Amino acid sequence: MTDVTELFERDYERLVRSLGVAFDAASAADAVQEAFIQADRGWTHVGTLDDPAGWVRRVAVNRLLNGRRDRARRRDILAIVRPVADADLTPELIDLRRAVAALPSRMRAAVCLHYLADLSIDDVAATLGVSPGTVKSNLHDARIRLRQQLGEVSDV
Amino acid sequence: MSERSPDTLATQLQSLAPTVDMDAARRLFDRDRIEQGDRRRWLLPAAVIALLVAGVVGIWALARDNDGVVPADRVEPTDEEAESSRTPSFDVLLVVETTAPAGSIQTATNADELSTALSPLASPPTELEVDVERAVVGVFNVEGDACPLELIGFDISGVENNVWSPRFQATQEACDNIGLTWAFVVAFDRAVFGPSVTFVMPSDSPTGSSIDESEPGDEFEMIAVEATALPFGTIRVAQSADELAAWWNDDLPGIARPVVDFGRSFVASFTLPDDACPDVLVQFRGEMATDGVVWEPQFEPPPGGCEQPLITRTYVVRIARPPLASRITLRLPADAVFDYPANELTVDVAPSVATIEFGPEEDEPAATEHFLRTNLPPTGSAKSVMSIYGPIWVVRHEDGSLSALPAVVRMPPDEDTGVTGLGRLVAWDAATRTFAGRWLHDEFGRAVNGPGSDDLVGFEAGIDGDMVAIHRSDRDRIPGDPLDVPLAGDHGLLPLDLGDMLALDMLPTLSSRFAGWRLLDASLVVEQGVGTLCVVDSGVPVPDLATCDGSWVETQVTSAQPDITSWFFGPVLAETDEFGEIITVAPLGGQASRNDGPPPEVPLGDIEVVIDDVVSECNPTNTGTVIVTLLPGWTVDVLVEVAAGSTSLGSTQVSLQDGQVTDVRVEVADRTGDGQVVIVRSAVDPAVEYASAPLSGCP
């Protein structure tokens, strides 16, 4: 990875879109933005890591899980990201959105990072700071909860 | 065998994902990076910026004839106007939308100042053809609509013709989208000015944000909150450094007086009854008066509140000057509980101006303003004093000269914990007259066992009567090799003055833009690569030591080893930059760390794999193929086995993907006999079974 801008171009949008479903879109954009700023600040170290992208994801998710916000930047953030309005969704997708929102925060993050950001189990585990087995367990539980909340038949 | 449709969860979640404007994201990222202090990334190499662009300057120079007469294509004043105004040559480099407040002015006389002045622009240029060594750049921010005004000239006034005010005119009828602020970036030949120039926005300029707004805007900053002996309801105002000095030392004795840009701000103080947790100034509430406006500060208690004895506390606020000259009455209402009357103080606040004072002639020494005075230590000794630039050691050498050296140094990344952004205090040993920080230093700050680049450099200091005056300008390194001093010493921190210690929850009371060092009653916890200040109980054993919960403050301290959690116990000396970010933390307590490692694995037995179907083939050789259809709950490696009792008849290892139906073929050596069963086991630990199903034998 040559510099942080290359990483930004590659990962920013995907990360904001995936975390924007797990958390609110503006908070996700703010957290990812701040994570990249921190990466830029410490690039002499972050750039030498095996997985700088993983470092950025970890910082962004930590900020979201801890509820950290940069209020001064909020207006600019709102110009960057636009959530999908309920009016643009089918009733089934609205239900799915509510069901996802009802999941515990780490489980939500695991679901969105795996299915939306297309991260492997190991990468999700590294981002959340847990074991791959825990991620698998979270995903499994999330699917069961989503099926139950959405009224699908759970047995096969 | 039936097939299942692919998992649609990913597809459905994609429909919920927000859209992202990457152009806007890039602009914000670039802007934030600049504001974080890294101003070199968007500028072209310095040589390009600083080089004289012959074409531009040559043309500009040719625009003036040898007598310096204003060229004919510029507006010529009438005789009546000549007394009060003149339109000098200038060059409008840019007119672009900006986030700077309307009515404000930025100036630049070097590349760094130019970068700062241009940073609020909506689209900062990547290249600006101006020789900042010979030009002065002014950025004049004017409220307008979608059609920017035209800068047609400058009115010059003042005793020495050194007050310049831009003149604007509309270019066409008003457009829609009112409320935009336009930045006019203007270059002047420095030779046009005398020793100084003051730029001021004209009184009739369309600045938009006028004094009749209900609030003075976002530009106020708490610069001191101290317990005092002043009567409740006292109000003070200062519009210059002298005015501030006139009451500061009496009202706030022993507190370092902050440096304020009085060209852009004025200072007000309010004394109120309070408790042990100081209130937070959230805004000024304004209302119209017959000859101006009345501003009343609005305080709110911090979360949680306190139950402590009554304290008198003075809040000192730096307030940005309005764009127009304004009569402002500051008011504190009466309080029946604490029985003091209302108080008002009316002040005529001059508008925001930008003054540049050019350097003195070469044979004149540069005057520097001292920011701190302290008692002169005895010859051959050192004393410490706290300032906004951090704690300072003042050394009086045997020859009577002085050194003012920093008592805190920034450390390189910690090798053990990978933490970046730590500081370390510098201790003094009176016997050997040496300092110990990262290295051992002689009394002049020269590193004895380290590189010269790590010398303690510090500030200029001079004797003023029986006091030491410490100046803002940096001191040059004392030349020569360090003194021959003992390498060991009894270095202590006890006489080090670190100022009053703040509780962590008092930090938000101060400005988010307070730059400087403060002693905080908190510890630094670096977890998952991010450093946070909070209160932790250092007496708890490390395995059970808590990380930050409850009240916390984020820092710019980071770690390249996110698997290591480190505690740096307080109190801490924390440095805040001009953007309110805590950039350095010097812990005064001990240190502990823990390698968290990977959490324990989820028991394999908890993983669920479902056998959907089993299809068995039989052939004349009594071998057979068993096809097992699996529905995995997640991604896992499994061993699919056909067994009879404890005898394995065949097996296949396969990697299952979460949600993906997988058919597994198992070649079985002997399909005859009863009691055969399909077993799905963990490939990691075959003793763990996920699922099983009976299998009929072949005839």
Side-chain angles (χ1 to χ4, degrees):
Chain A
M1 189 65 61
T2 54
D3 67 5
V4 69
T5 54
E6 183 183 332
L7 183 64
F8 184 89
E9 290 295 329
R10 193 191 75 181
D11 281 1
Y12 178 88
E13 182 173 8
R14 178 175 62 158
L15 204 51
V16 170
R17 280 174 57 82
S18 60
L19 294 177
V21 175
F23 305 89
D24 77 271
S27 298
D30 176 77
V32 174
Q33 171 81 358
E34 185 58 32
F36 273 104
I37 292 297
Q38 289 199 26
D40 177 59
R41 177 183 287 268
W43 190 250
T44 49
H45 299 287
V46 177
T48 64
L49 299 177
D50 290 338
D51 186 14
W55 190 94
V56 171
R57 284 195 301 268
R58 214 156 36 241
V59 171
V61 169
N62 283 340
R63 288 184 67 85
L64 287 166
L65 291 175
N66 291 322
R68 302 176 192 180
R69 306 287 183 267
D70 186 330
R71 299 186 195 285
R73 196 165 52 207
R74 184 157 182 86
R75 192 173 76 170
D76 298 305
I77 291 291
L78 290 175
I80 291 174
V81 64
R82 189 173 68 235
V84 182
D86 281 355
D88 297 331
L89 296 174
T90 64
E92 292 76 19
L93 288 176
I94 293 175
D95 289 342
L96 176 62
R97 172 184 268 175
R98 291 192 188 122
V100 170
L103 298 175
S105 55
R106 283 187 180 271
M107 190 179 292
R108 247 185 291 131
V111 167
C112 292
L113 289 172
H114 180 61
Y115 289 108
L116 278 177
D118 202 27
L119 297 185
S120 68
I121 297 294
D122 285 345
D123 283 345
V124 174
T127 300
L128 297 177
V130 298
S131 74
T134 301
V135 173
K136 295 172 188 176
S137 175
N138 275 334
L139 293 177
H140 175 75
D141 288 346
R143 290 175 63 85
I144 290 177
R145 290 191 192 207
L146 290 176
R147 287 195 199 109
Q148 288 172 346
Q149 291 197 37
L150 296 174
E152 293 181 20
V153 177
S154 61
D155 60 339
V156 293
Chain B
M1 178 182 64
S2 62
E3 287 190 8
R4 294 264 314 255
S5 59
D7 185 11
T8 61
L9 180 57
T11 305
Q12 291 174 318
L13 289 175
Q14 286 288 351
S15 303
L16 303 179
T19 55
V20 176
D21 183 342
M22 278 303 295
D23 288 337
R26 281 188 209 96
R27 283 199 299 273
L28 181 60
F29 182 50
D30 288 341
R31 193 199 76 187
D32 280 358
R33 292 169 75 195
I34 293 173
E35 287 184 356
Q36 290 290 342
D38 188 345
R39 301 192 179 104
R40 290 168 293 183
R41 289 175 193 256
W42 64 266
L43 288 175
L44 292 177
V48 177
I49 299 295
L51 276 178
L52 182 65
V53 180
V56 171
V57 176
I59 291 172
W60 196 20
L62 287 172
R64 304 167 65 91
D65 63 23
N66 290 332
D67 294 330
V69 175
V70 174
D73 58 339
R74 296 292 187 184
V75 175
E76 287 290 342
T78 63
D79 289 341
E80 290 79 17
E81 293 172 342
E83 286 291 323
S84 62
S85 73
R86 173 175 87 224
T87 305
S89 290
F90 58 90
D91 194 4
V92 180
L93 303 177
L94 276 178
V95 180
V96 64
E97 193 180 335
T98 181
T99 60
S104 63
I105 304 171
Q106 291 89 37
T107 58
T109 58
N110 56 56
D112 284 344
E113 290 180 359
L114 182 61
S115 173
T116 302
L118 298 180
S119 62
L121 302 188
S123 302
T126 56
E127 179 178 336
L128 199 64
E129 294 183 344
V130 58
D131 179 6
V132 291
E133 299 298 322
R134 293 178 50 172
V136 170
V137 176
V139 182
F140 305 92
N141 302 299
V142 179
E143 174 114 351
D145 51 29
C147 308
L149 304 170
E150 180 184 6
L151 175 62
I152 59 173
F154 286 83
D155 293 325
I156 301 177
S157 60
V159 174
E160 298 178 356
N161 287 336
N162 62 344
V163 180
W164 292 40
S165 182
R167 272 191 286 142
F168 300 93
Q169 73 179 14
T171 56
Q172 60 188 76
E173 292 183 5
C175 301
D176 293 334
N177 298 323
I178 61 173
L180 297 178
T181 302
W182 294 95
F184 288 77
V185 182
V186 184
F188 307 87
D189 187 343
R190 189 176 295 213
V192 170
F193 304 117
S196 69
V197 60
T198 296
F199 293 111
V200 58
M201 295 299 276
S203 58
D204 60 349
S205 73
T207 57
S209 182
S210 62
I211 60 172
D212 59 356
E213 294 217 339
S214 62
E215 296 172 358
D218 297 332
E219 285 295 313
F220 66 86
E221 169 187 7
M222 192 75 71
I223 59 176
V225 179
E226 305 291 346
T228 63
L230 293 175
F232 298 147
T234 301
I235 304 174
R236 302 263 200 255
V237 168
Q239 297 205 61
S240 69
D242 288 341
E243 289 185 16
L244 183 63
W247 52 261
W248 183 279
N249 290 334
D250 289 335
D251 290 358
L252 301 166
I255 306 301
R257 191 171 70 246
V259 176
V260 177
D261 180 356
F262 282 100
R264 293 185 170 87
S265 307
F266 67 101
V267 172
S269 81
F270 307 92
T271 300
L272 297 166
D274 206 341
D275 54 24
C277 302
D279 291 344
V280 178
L281 176 62
V282 293
Q283 67 175 21
F284 284 85
R285 186 171 60 86
E287 60 187 56
M288 294 300 297
T290 53
D291 60 350
V293 288
V294 177
W295 288 356
E296 186 175 307
Q298 305 294 300
F299 291 90
E300 285 183 0
C306 285
E307 292 181 359
Q308 295 287 341
L310 182 65
I311 295 174
T312 306
R313 189 169 270 119
T314 293
Y315 297 82
V316 186
V317 189
R318 177 197 67 77
I319 305 171
R321 293 182 183 275
L324 307 174
S326 309
R327 170 157 291 184
I328 299 174
T329 297
L330 301 170
R331 179 172 68 194
L332 288 178
D335 190 310
V337 173
F338 297 101
D339 191 24
Y340 60 91
N343 192 13
E344 292 183 354
L345 180 63
T346 299
V347 58
D348 291 317
V349 178
S352 174
V353 300
T355 298
I356 304 172
E357 293 186 1
F358 300 103
E361 299 299 325
E362 289 184 356
D363 57 353
E364 291 183 16
T368 56
E369 178 184 337
H370 68 267
F371 68 89
L372 191 62
R373 286 162 56 87
T374 187
N375 293 328
L376 196 61
T379 302
S381 72
K383 65 162 289 184
S384 81
V385 62
M386 184 61 179
S387 76
I388 61 171
Y389 300 108
I392 297 174
W393 284 111
V394 178
V395 184
R396 192 172 183 191
H397 306 290
E398 289 291 347
D399 61 358
S401 64
L402 292 171
S403 291
L405 304 175
V408 62
V409 291
R410 298 179 185 85
M411 298 294 288
D414 187 271
E415 289 186 3
D416 292 330
T417 61
V419 175
T420 300
L422 294 176
R424 177 181 294 178
L425 293 180
V426 178
W428 164 255
D429 176 27
T432 59
R433 298 225 292 268
T434 58
F435 291 102
R438 183 183 176 200
W439 310 106
L440 186 71
H441 302 264
D442 67 13
E443 62 183 85
F444 295 95
R446 293 177 293 210
V448 174
N449 58 349
S453 56
D454 284 347
D455 286 353
L456 302 176
V457 175
F459 305 90
E460 288 288 344
I463 296 177
D464 182 9
D466 58 353
M467 305 287 285
V468 176
I470 303 174
H471 300 274
R472 292 174 61 187
S473 58
D474 290 338
R475 189 192 69 165
D476 293 332
R477 177 187 183 276
I478 300 298
D481 293 331
L483 299 176
D484 184 16
V485 295
L487 294 182
D490 185 16
H491 297 89
L493 296 174
L494 284 179
L496 200 59
D497 178 12
L498 299 177
D500 293 332
M501 185 163 65
L502 289 181
L504 188 63
D505 56 10
M506 288 180 67
L507 201 58
T509 299
L510 299 176
S511 159
S512 63
R513 293 178 173 270
F514 171 77
W517 292 83
R518 282 282 192 179
L519 184 66
L520 298 174
D521 183 12
S523 296
L524 174 69
V525 181
V526 184
E527 184 182 24
Q528 295 185 350
V530 179
T532 306
L533 290 177
C534 62
V535 178
V536 295
D537 184 355
S538 61
V540 175
V542 171
D544 302 320
L545 198 55
T547 54
C548 287
D549 292 317
S551 177
W552 49 262
V553 175
E554 196 170 274
T555 75
Q556 295 297 322
V557 173
T558 59
S559 170
Q561 300 187 43
D563 288 337
I564 296 178
T565 299
S566 300
W567 293 262
F568 300 89
F569 299 114
V572 301
L573 202 61
E575 179 186 18
T576 306
D577 67 10
E578 60 195 284
F579 304 107
E581 300 285 351
I582 296 177
I583 57 175
T584 312
V585 176
L588 276 62
Q591 177 180 339
S593 64
R594 180 185 71 204
N595 187 336
D596 289 322
E601 294 282 329
V602 173
L604 296 175
D606 290 349
I607 296 176
E608 184 178 320
V609 178
V610 175
I611 298 176
D612 185 41
D613 195 8
V614 177
V615 174
S616 173
E617 296 176 354
C618 299
N619 59 53
T621 60
N622 293 329
T623 60
T625 302
V626 177
I627 302 172
V628 183
T629 302
L630 300 178
L631 303 175
W634 43 41
T635 301
V636 62
D637 293 336
V638 300
L639 192 70
V640 181
E641 181 183 69
V642 174
S646 61
T647 303
S648 176
L649 303 176
S651 65
T652 299
Q653 182 167 331
V654 66
S655 292
L656 301 179
Q657 297 297 316
D658 175 23
Q660 288 190 4
V661 177
T662 306
D663 292 331
V664 183
R665 302 177 73 88
V666 182
E667 301 299 329
V668 181
D670 183 2
R671 284 284 291 117
T672 60
D674 297 325
Q676 295 185 357
V677 62
V678 172
I679 305 172
V680 181
R681 305 176 184 276
S682 163
V684 176
D685 182 0
V688 175
E689 290 187 11
Y690 296 140
S692 64
L695 182 66
S696 59
C698 293

